[in-house]
Amino acid sequence: MTEDRALPGYTYGQVPRSPVTLEELEELKRTVTFGEDDAAALRRSRDILADQVEAILDTWYGFVGSQPHLLHYFSQRDTGRPIERYLERVRARFGRWILDTAAADYDQTWLDYQHEIGLRHHTKKNQTDGVDSAPTIPLRHVIGLVYPITATLRPFLQAKGASDEEVDRMQDAWRKAVLLQVALWSEAYTR
Ligand code: HEM
């Protein structure tokens, strides 16, 4: 599999088709109440967040790193030591994910990569980066992380002087977008 040389393991546009159809994605969007106004709010957030990606990742990684039961999933299976190379490579793809999510271009290519991300948390964990870490991440933690990921985004959305109402709008769109994605990722676990 080829990949973006600047971003090891990022194979967007080069993965098999998602078992979820575009029509089913549209249905899921309606379930989450994700509409065009949310896509527009996400795109506005992209301009605000783009130059803050590293600081956002510091916050999120700081959170995961402070929780031994989460850091476990980035650690060597036998020694329990965090694998720095794994943390770094995933962090870079996570940064790209922030921008992809905010671009809100949720087409077939995006949908396919969602299934790949689900697999990477489950049966394909460790393969992309060639590591020997915990074999899979329990779905309960993936669902549970939706709250801290979206709550901690707020100060970054506020950083460029947007009104409280606009920050609420963008944060709500982010909550829906992350929930939507985790719902798609759950397919890899439940099929
Ligand atoms: C809302 C919840 C979560 C989000 C948004 C999220 C986001 C991501 C993203 C964007 C990637 C990289 C995808 C790629 O390869 O392009 C990733 C990979 C990864 N995430 Fe998560 N994640 C979540 C939950 C969790 C949890 C709870 C853990 C547990 C510590 C975790 C650990 C990992 C690990 C270890 C990888 C690398 C998997 C591999 O070996 O390929 N994630 N995550």
Side-chain angles (χ1 to χ4, degrees), residues 45-114:
S45 82
R46 198 176 198 265
D47 295 335
I48 293 173
L49 300 177
D51 67 358
Q52 302 187 79
V53 165
E54 288 306 314
I56 296 168
L57 291 170
D58 285 346
T59 301
W60 290 348
Y61 262 60
F63 178 73
V64 170
S66 72
Q67 306 275 333
H69 74 282
L70 294 179
L71 190 58
H72 167 77
Y73 298 103
F74 284 100
S75 302
Q76 185 70 28
R77 205 186 303 219
D78 48 5
T79 65
R81 281 205 201 99
I83 307 168
E84 289 306 324
R85 184 176 152 277
Y86 190 31
L87 282 158
E88 274 166 30
R89 285 172 55 118
V90 176
R91 180 185 161 114
R93 299 201 295 275
F94 212 131
R96 180 57 192 258
W97 172 87
I98 294 173
L99 299 175
D100 288 344
T101 298
D105 183 17
Y106 300 164
D107 58 7
Q108 183 71 53
T109 308
W110 177 85
L111 181 60
D112 296 342
Y113 201 60
Q114 294 313 304

Side-chain angles (χ1 to χ4, degrees), residues 159-177:
K160 305 278 168 77
S163 68
D164 285 350
E165 195 187 353
E166 169 69 348
V167 169
D168 284 347
R169 196 64 215 83
M170 292 186 289
Q171 192 178 18
D172 225 28
W174 265 91
R175 286 198 186 99
K176 293 181 192 182

Side-chain angles (χ1 to χ4, degrees), residues 9-10 64 70 73-74 86 90 93-94 97 113 117 120-121 124-129 137 141-142 145-146 149 178 182 185:
Y10 181 73
V64 170
L70 294 179
Y73 298 103
F74 284 100
Y86 190 31
V90 176
R93 299 201 295 275
F94 212 131
W97 172 87
Y113 201 60
I117 296 178
R120 288 183 185 191
H121 285 86
K124 276 188 78 178
K125 185 174 180 290
N126 302 340
Q127 288 180 25
T128 302
D129 304 293
I137 299 161
H141 289 305
V142 179
L145 203 68
V146 173
I149 290 259
V178 179
V182 167
W185 301 352

Side-chain angles (χ1 to χ4, degrees), residues 131-146:
V131 293
D132 185 24
S133 182
T136 180
I137 299 161
L139 182 60
R140 61 182 176 276
H141 289 305
V142 179
I143 294 170
L145 203 68
V146 173

